[in-house]
Amino acid sequence: MPIDIAIPSGKASARKLSGERVFFTALAASMLLAVLVGFGRTYYFRALLPPQPMVLPPSALVHVHAMLFSAWIVLFLVQVGFVAAGRRDLHMKLGLVGLPMVLSMIVVGTLTGLNLGKRLAGLPIDPFMMMALPLMGMLGCSILFLTALALRREPGVHKRLMILGMAAMIGAAFARMPFIPFLIGSFFLPNIYTVALLVWDVVTDHRPHRSTLAGGVVVLGATVGILFVWQNPLWLAFAKWASALAA
């Protein structure tokens, strides 16, 4: 997520660039914290804690999913750190693994989402309705990550779409926090990153960046949009068909 841009010399420009680096690093760090807090009870530290109600033992596919997405979070934070440290050269070199990882995440994340219908069978919840969360989240982050990688030569667009791609998938972490209601964590809190970017854009450039607006719409569709889909008969029929196909 390169954010270094050509700027004129001078103290005011240096301060602006430093503030930009701090802002995007803070966003990335908050996402890592959300993942650790959200998935700490249900996955990372699960063996050290009492059994959690409604939390199923992870399958082999879930372990693969968790390792892959955890690696992506680490890569994301390291990449932001390289840019913040002014090491765009290392950022670009390490970025070569981005596309293979995103493609792997799309495959594994989609299979994990399709498998959710089977995993939730027998619980007092509609598994096919719940499949909308991971599948629409995967769709949203896939669109944003792939677009961000394709536009990596446009730093302003790239960095914003990477942040918003993370926002599209971070709802799963917020939803698992015991002090945040499920609906708020899943559907509304991820959009706080769009709001943060919009505020940053207006404060620094006096107008929203086009990628913030476009990416924010994708995040909104991948989060709040689920509420308009998951109980729809067409969605439920599709989820049942897709789940059976993947079984």
Side-chain angles (χ1 to χ4, degrees), residues 207-240:
R207 60 185 176 84
H209 196 282
R210 66 187 189 281
S211 59
T212 302
L213 294 174
V217 171
V218 176
V219 175
L220 194 66
T223 53
V224 176
I226 296 173
L227 294 171
F228 299 94
V229 172
W230 66 344
Q231 291 182 315
N232 187 286
L234 290 177
W235 167 262
L236 295 174
F238 166 77
K240 291 176 183 178

Side-chain angles (χ1 to χ4, degrees), residues 17 40 85 90-91 103 140 151 160-161 173 183 216 221 227 240-241 247:
L17 185 57
L90 295 178
H91 176 89
L103 294 177
L151 300 176
R160 286 171 172 80
L161 293 184
L183 290 178
L227 294 171
K240 291 176 183 178
W241 171 80

Side-chain angles (χ1 to χ4, degrees), residues 36-224:
L36 291 175
V37 174
F39 287 99
R41 294 183 317 125
T42 61
Y43 188 79
Y44 294 119
F45 313 119
R46 184 173 180 274
L48 305 177
L49 299 172
Q52 303 293 320
M54 299 287 290
V55 176
L56 300 172
S59 63
L61 180 60
V62 169
H63 280 306
V64 173
H65 171 85
M67 289 188 290
L68 183 59
F69 278 70
S70 297
W72 176 259
I73 296 288
V74 173
L75 174 65
F76 173 72
L77 194 62
V78 169
Q79 287 289 71
V80 173
F82 279 151
V83 174
R87 295 304 307 270
R88 188 176 178 184
D89 56 329
L90 295 178
H91 176 89
M92 297 297 287
K93 290 178 181 178
L94 187 58
L96 294 175
V97 305
L99 181 58
M101 284 196 68
V102 169
L103 294 177
S104 299
M105 288 165 59
I106 292 173
V107 173
V108 174
T110 301
L111 289 175
T112 305
L114 293 175
N115 190 249
L116 190 64
K118 178 181 177 182
R119 283 178 53 79
L120 295 182
L123 294 180
I125 191 170
D126 188 334
F128 303 111
M129 183 178 76
M130 296 302 294
M131 282 172 59
L133 278 78
L135 293 180
M136 290 188 66
M138 279 306 309
L139 178 61
C141 73
S142 299
I143 292 171
L144 292 166
F145 286 146
L146 291 174
T147 305
L149 292 173
L151 300 176
R152 62 190 179 279
R153 301 294 181 183
E154 299 184 37
V157 175
H158 176 75
K159 65 188 177 184
R160 286 171 172 80
L161 293 184
M162 290 298 293
I163 290 289
L164 293 171
M166 292 294 299
M169 58 183 270
I170 205 73
F174 286 131
R176 285 165 171 77
M177 296 181 183
F179 48 87
I180 295 178
F182 175 79
L183 290 178
I184 293 177
S186 293
F187 306 125
F188 298 104
L189 271 184
N191 294 280
I192 198 172
Y193 291 100
T194 303
V195 174
L197 286 173
L198 288 171
V199 171
W200 174 261
D201 290 344
V202 171
V203 169
T204 59
D205 297 324
H206 308 295
R207 60 185 176 84
H209 196 282
R210 66 187 189 281
S211 59
T212 302
L213 294 174
V217 171
V218 176
V219 175
L220 194 66
T223 53
V224 176

